[in-house]
Amino acid sequence: MNTAPIRSICCIGAGYVGGPTMAVIADRCPEIQVKVVDLNEARIAAWNDPDLSCLPVYEPGLDAVVGRSRGRNLQFSTDVDRAIATADMVFISVNTPTKTKGLGAGQASDLRWVEACARQVAKCARGHTIVVEKSTLPVRTAEAVKAILEASQLAEAGEQKGPPPSFSVLSNPEFLAEGTAIADLEQPDRVLIGGEDAAAIEALAGIYQQWVPQERILRTNLWSSELSKLTANAFLAQRISSINSVAALCEATGADVREVALAIGTDRRIGSRFLQSGPGFGGSCFKKDILNLVYLCHHFGLPEVAEYWESVVHLNTWQQHRIASLVVRKLFGTVSGKRLAILGFAFKADTNDTREAPAIRIAGDLLEEGAQLAIHDPKVSAEQIARDLNLPASSAPDAEAGPTRAALSGEGTWWPAANITDAVRGADAVLILTEWSQYRQLDWSGIAALMRHPAWVFDARSVVDPATIRSAGLSLWRVGDAG
Ligand code: NAD
Ligand code: UGA
């Protein structure tokens, strides 16, 4: 049993999880050297940018945390092998997207990056190394990681190069949400550590104990830990699909989904959080993790359970298509050649992440219908939007001129709007798809004066005050509201 304290950590993967998580560990444990490594040179260069506003991940408070530790006990590097060789503990925090081809395509997680990491750790580690699964993984992935590490132990022993490296594998899934990552990491509801090696579990718990109360550090077996992560995301996403299904019913019946959410959420058995109806959940994980769960259920011969969870994803997709089609219906059945302002492209406020953002599907449907979209987001770049829509930006049309040739031909186009005034000028409708705080305080009578009438506001995030919109002479659709 190896009980030496951890002095040096390596984290493979400098993404939305690896970067913020390691920055907080380095901040709270100044005696531990933390190296975050990645194959992506541009990403590492951005983490090392002297200008803290250029970090590759936008998260409130992250710049201050990185600023305190970087250059002291926090380093970002592309030298993966060296960082592994000098580490007592290696976190694997790489991407685990849904497989796009082969066995389990469309559902199972693609574990090629995790496997590559395990092989690299097997090759480069020295002495006893604790390997921590930080990525979200299917149940029993630790078995594969262990098998790869053990194979290298045997090979090294066969080569008689002195004592072979030894490994312990732990599961330590991350529960942070983007936009609140720093607060979630600094005051987590719980830290989950799954494993079989008590000394390794205590070594990792010892790090978190520097700032997390003991009773919030949960210890379980490996498989419970891996499954808890998938299940937590599935339960959260299920609440969103549940309230979005009720929103559609509210719109049909005259109930108001915000009032229903308040009424049911005050029951302590239900609770008030994650009952906000909207354009459906986005983000890199909910859909991927539920589909992973669905795949596992099929694999273990539980088709009814698989179908149950899959319906959460179906409802989400339906909600996004539903919003796009009701926009078309309200605008006299056609948006071809019409200018629409989209406010918000990120999957939620306070992040620059657009993975699975509802705006992608909604904007995509409207482009199919031939709409001319002016897209505004305070943190998402035009290049990112072009990649997500799979369509290069066109230049902004002259707001005073008539429809462009592309518009007349029914081709959908989009352009990035530098500010809200530019976005709404000449528009028939404004769609609010991300709840950025600045969209809560707009001058609607000023906006109405710039739009073409009759003009609509489609508020998919419940950020506007209905009375203000109506007194500005605008028609309003709000999610879950019969109007
Ligand atoms: P990400 O895509 O932002 O970052 C992953 C990074 O790993 C990339 O920069 C990639 O270049 C790097 N990488 C991949 N293979 C590598 C290798 N062999 N060597 C070195 N670097 C390599 O992903 P993310 O959002 O940080 O998510 C990482 C994991 O954490 C996923 O499993 C995800 O499900 C999970 N997770 C994400 C969140 C979130 O909010 N984004 C929250 C909790 C858990
Ligand atoms: C989510 C979980 O909240 C984290 O605990 C988890 O660690 C993470 O996934 C992960 O595994 O990646 P994240 O996706 O970053 O975090 O953000 P959330 O706040 O959960 O929002 C997800 C989506 O649901 C967003 O599109 C958001 O707008 C939407 N949402 C959230 C609603 O539509 N209604 C709500 O009431 C809450």
Side-chain angles (χ1 to χ4, degrees), residues 46-395:
W47 280 111
N48 283 323
D49 198 307
D51 179 355
L52 287 165
S53 68
C54 295
L55 297 180
V57 167
Y58 172 71
E59 264 306 327
L62 176 63
D63 49 356
V65 179
V66 170
R68 282 199 291 273
S69 313
R70 201 177 57 183
R72 181 189 69 187
N73 64 327
L74 177 65
Q75 286 176 41
F76 295 92
S77 153
T78 51
D79 193 348
V80 181
D81 290 1
R82 199 172 142 80
I84 294 172
T86 55
D88 306 317
M89 182 176 272
V90 177
F91 286 79
I92 298 180
S93 187
V94 297
N95 35 319
T96 51
T98 305
K99 274 182 92 171
T100 53
K101 54 184 180 186
L103 202 65
Q107 289 187 338
S109 283
D110 192 338
L111 296 179
R112 74 177 105 157
W113 293 276
V114 172
E115 184 175 333
C117 289
R119 290 186 190 282
Q120 206 154 1
V121 174
K123 183 175 75 143
C124 303
R126 299 283 170 267
H128 185 71
T129 306
I130 299 173
V131 178
V132 183
E133 297 176 344
K134 180 55 94 179
S135 295
T136 302
L137 297 169
V139 192
R140 301 205 80 88
T141 303
E143 216 158 47
V145 172
K146 273 196 225 167
I148 291 168
L149 297 172
E150 276 161 17
S152 88
Q153 265 173 276
L154 291 174
E156 293 251 350
E159 286 170 23
Q160 293 178 338
K161 282 199 297 191
S166 57
F167 301 99
S168 294
V169 178
L170 298 177
S171 159
N172 173 222
E174 185 47 61
F175 294 100
L176 68 79
E178 291 178 29
T180 53
I182 299 302
D184 294 343
L185 288 163
E186 290 183 337
Q187 290 123 32
D189 286 350
R190 75 331 211 159
V191 164
L192 181 55
I193 304 176
E196 289 157 350
D197 172 354
I201 294 174
E202 291 319 308
L204 181 54
I207 294 173
Y208 286 112
Q209 269 161 29
Q210 300 301 313
W211 76 96
V212 179
Q214 181 67 262
E215 65 279 9
R216 293 201 187 173
I217 303 177
L218 310 182
R219 295 150 175 90
T220 66
N221 77 31
L222 272 168
W223 324 122
S224 303
S225 174
E226 289 178 338
L227 185 57
S228 299
K229 173 63 198 176
L230 292 183
T231 312
N233 275 355
F235 269 58
L236 290 169
Q238 177 211 49
R239 284 173 71 91
I240 300 169
S241 280
S242 297
I243 199 71
N244 283 341
S245 74
V246 172
L249 195 57
C250 288
E251 289 167 34
T253 57
D256 181 324
V257 77
R258 284 148 294 271
E259 292 176 353
V260 175
L262 179 70
I264 63 171
T266 44
D267 183 329
R268 275 177 295 152
R269 294 168 302 173
I270 297 174
S272 61
R273 296 173 69 187
F274 269 72
L275 283 181
Q276 175 95 44
S277 178
F281 54 78
S284 61
C285 295
F286 279 176
K287 181 174 156 201
K288 137 178 113 59
D289 293 348
I290 294 175
L291 292 175
N292 190 347
L293 200 58
V294 168
Y295 181 73
L296 285 171
C297 295
H298 280 302
H299 177 79
F300 289 106
L302 299 166
E304 290 80 3
V305 185
E307 206 176 307
Y308 173 72
W309 286 111
E310 201 166 13
S311 70
V312 172
V313 176
H314 285 156
L315 198 290
N316 198 55
T317 311
W318 172 79
Q319 173 80 340
Q320 292 164 6
H321 289 309
R322 182 175 86 84
I323 291 176
S325 34
L326 71 83
V327 170
V328 177
R329 276 201 312 276
K330 300 269 189 206
L331 297 179
F332 309 115
T334 176
V335 291
S336 185
K338 288 183 181 162
R339 291 184 197 162
L340 311 181
I342 301 242
L343 302 190
F345 203 81
F347 81 94
K348 63 183 282 196
D350 293 324
T351 179
N352 60 343
D353 196 347
T354 60
R355 290 177 289 182
E356 298 293 336
I360 299 174
R361 187 167 282 128
I362 295 172
D365 282 3
L366 295 170
L367 287 170
E368 278 279 302
E369 294 282 338
Q372 315 286 293
L373 306 178
I375 303 183
H376 176 267
D377 190 285
K379 289 290 172 193
V380 179
S381 68
E383 294 71 30
Q384 185 59 48
I385 297 173
R387 275 194 294 276
D388 289 333
L389 294 177
N390 205 12
L391 185 68
S394 52
S395 46

Side-chain angles (χ1 to χ4, degrees), residues 406-417:
L408 287 172
S409 72
E411 224 174 87
T413 56
W414 77 275
W415 59 93

